[in-house]
Amino acid sequence: MREYSIAAIPADGIGPEVIAAGVTALESLARRLGDVKFSVETFDWGSAYYRKHGAMMPADGLATLKKFDAIYFGAVGAPDVPDHITLWGLRLPICQGFDQYANVRPTRILPGITSPLRHAEVGDLDWVIVRENSEGEYAGCGGRVHRGLPEEVGTEVAIFTRVGVQRIMRYAFRLAQSRPRKLLTVVTKSNAQRHGMVMWDEIAEQVSKEFPDVTWDKMLVDAMTVRMTLKPQSLDTIVATNLHADILSDLAGALAGSLGVAPTANIDPERRFPSMFEPIHGSAFDITGKGIANPVASFWTASQMLDHLGEAEASARLMRAVEKVTGAGITTPDVGGTATTKDVTAAVVEAIHSSNV
Ligand code: IPM
Ligand code: MG
């Protein structure tokens, strides 16, 4: 019996609803496969914890998480707590403290989900965006002086290190190499930003020599939005800085039909620390508690988690089950259906147990 310990942090808004759905799917996979077990421990960290304790998680939160095999994360953000507190109090300390430097965001048009692109169908858009997740524009480097005065200055400095760029580039080339098309697009803005971005281009060139079988090209981020929209089939694996990939992954999610189904993995490729898996959608207060949150992103990221844990068969079975259910039109209102979170979850559980999935 292979056993994995998972720390669940459902946190805010619809986080608890979609993580509960995901845990149900994991349990059902374990029953179906018989030789794997998930022991899930749930932590009540997040905005409610902040209101009570003045911090999003306990001071020894990272030490507690470190002993788990993976972290399954819901969403953070609450109307009455500033966003930079919820973010820098929980999610970013985990990403940065555990050096989860590769943020991996697959995008596909799932069966039954319609892309807003007129001619795009299932198979026309199959990308993985690799987002640098430890530095760049999110390095947290900057400050404000002369606050409130007319001469106030605010700086937000992007940090690019050779080590940081090299390791994300290697990760992206390796991922591209593992996919059938072996195709990588490196995104920068090195025409206007002539220091760190030019270094990105140079390092991409150097790292590419280690992967002679990967075809790669370079795109400026603005032109990339056009290519994603007009020639989605020309792209496969994409690597970009923290901020560029943040923006491009929203576009990718929208083009694939819904941000509600998009997953993300925050990975420490060296496996020194647990990696963290989460849906991209935020806490979504407008639908919190209504029972209609789309659990697909939460299933998809659970599938990424299974892959990372080495459970490729379970991972593939979960995605086949999800695609069977979306293909059958059992979807939540955000993607045009009428099903509830519970309906979709029950259908996925049934598909996991059916013999033709
Ligand atoms: C994402 C989100 C976050 C980010 C927000 C919530 C800060 O947009 O995961 O893409 O920019 O990293
Ligand atoms: Mg984003």
Side-chain angles (χ1 to χ4, degrees):
M1 181 75 80
R2 299 179 304 286
E3 193 171 339
Y4 301 101
S5 61
I6 295 170
I9 311 176
D12 302 344
I14 59 171
E17 299 167 52
V18 297
I19 292 300
V23 170
T24 303
L26 286 174
E27 284 164 355
S28 130
L29 276 168
R31 274 197 306 280
R32 175 71 170 82
L33 297 169
D35 55 0
V36 54
K37 199 174 155 210
F38 306 103
S39 51
V40 181
E41 189 176 332
T42 303
F43 294 89
D44 65 349
W45 307 342
S47 296
Y49 188 94
Y50 176 82
R51 282 182 214 108
K52 234 187 280 161
H53 304 279
M56 294 288 288
M57 66 173 160
D60 62 353
L62 287 192
T64 304
L65 293 177
K66 192 168 187 299
K67 57 182 192 293
F68 287 85
D69 293 318
I71 303 163
Y72 194 28
F73 194 90
V76 276
D80 58 331
V81 185
D83 282 344
H84 65 272
I85 290 185
T86 51
L87 190 69
W88 284 96
L90 189 59
R91 187 170 159 266
L92 286 183
I94 297 174
C95 289
Q96 299 193 345
F98 287 162
D99 206 11
Q100 297 163 342
Y101 65 84
N103 182 263
V104 182
R105 305 188 152 186
T107 313
R108 261 185 297 130
I109 302 176
L110 296 181
I113 292 182
T114 313
S115 165
L117 291 176
R118 225 178 327 149
H119 305 294
E121 286 169 22
V122 174
D124 283 343
L125 189 160
D126 184 355
W127 305 331
V128 185
I129 297 180
V130 176
R131 170 178 179 182
E132 201 296 317
N133 211 31
S134 67
E135 51 176 38
E137 307 87 346
Y138 282 56
C141 179
R144 287 171 68 177
V145 289
H146 312 309
R147 263 183 200 252
L149 298 176
E151 41 284 288
E152 180 168 1
V153 178
T155 59
E156 196 74 53
V157 182
I159 304 291
F160 299 101
T161 65
R162 177 165 284 274
V163 166
V165 178
Q166 215 160 33
R167 65 187 188 174
I168 198 64
M169 218 47 94
R170 286 209 173 99
Y171 185 89
F173 270 95
R174 207 172 297 126
L175 181 64
Q177 192 177 45
S178 75
R179 288 170 54 88
R181 295 173 71 193
K182 301 191 194 304
L183 189 63
L184 177 69
T185 300
V186 176
V187 178
T188 62
K189 185 65 191 171
S190 51
N191 54 350
Q193 298 184 303
R194 59 202 171 115
H195 307 296
M197 292 287 80
V198 174
M199 187 178 83
W200 260 73
D201 283 351
E202 283 172 18
I203 293 174
E205 180 76 44
Q206 289 157 5
V207 171
S208 74
K209 304 278 186 277
E210 300 165 22
F211 301 86
D213 56 337
V214 173
T215 308
W216 72 287
D217 60 5
K218 283 189 291 193
M219 287 297 292
L220 297 172
V221 65
D222 48 349
M224 184 65 173
T225 60
V226 178
R227 180 164 164 196
M228 288 167 73
T229 311
L230 299 183
K231 289 190 182 155
Q233 304 88 345
S234 74
L235 295 162
D236 188 84
T237 310
I238 297 160
V239 62
T241 71
N242 216 330
L243 180 63
H244 290 167
D246 174 39
I247 297 165
L248 295 180
S249 59
D250 263 27
L251 176 61
L255 294 178
S258 168
L259 254 189
V261 305
T264 186
N266 301 282
I267 293 193
D268 165 26
E270 277 78 44
R271 296 171 184 269
R272 297 155 295 173
F273 303 102
S275 293
M276 176 161 69
F277 301 84
E278 56 175 337
I280 291 187
H281 63 63
S283 35
F285 318 116
D286 50 331
I287 57 161
T288 299
K290 293 192 177 157
I292 53 164
N294 192 338
V296 167
S298 175
F299 296 143
W300 195 340
T301 197
S303 159
Q304 288 186 290
M305 177 162 76
L306 292 166
D307 255 333
H308 183 74
L309 294 173
E311 295 294 333
E313 191 197 328
S315 163
R317 177 170 282 272
L318 177 54
M319 274 323 280
R320 285 198 302 272
V322 168
E323 290 182 33
K324 186 175 174 190
V325 168
T326 57
I330 306 171
T331 53
T332 45
D334 56 303
V335 284
T338 53
T340 63
T341 313
K342 284 209 162 75
D343 296 335
V344 177
T345 307
V348 166
V349 165
E350 195 187 317
I352 286 171
H353 288 280
S354 81
S355 54
N356 60 349
V357 160

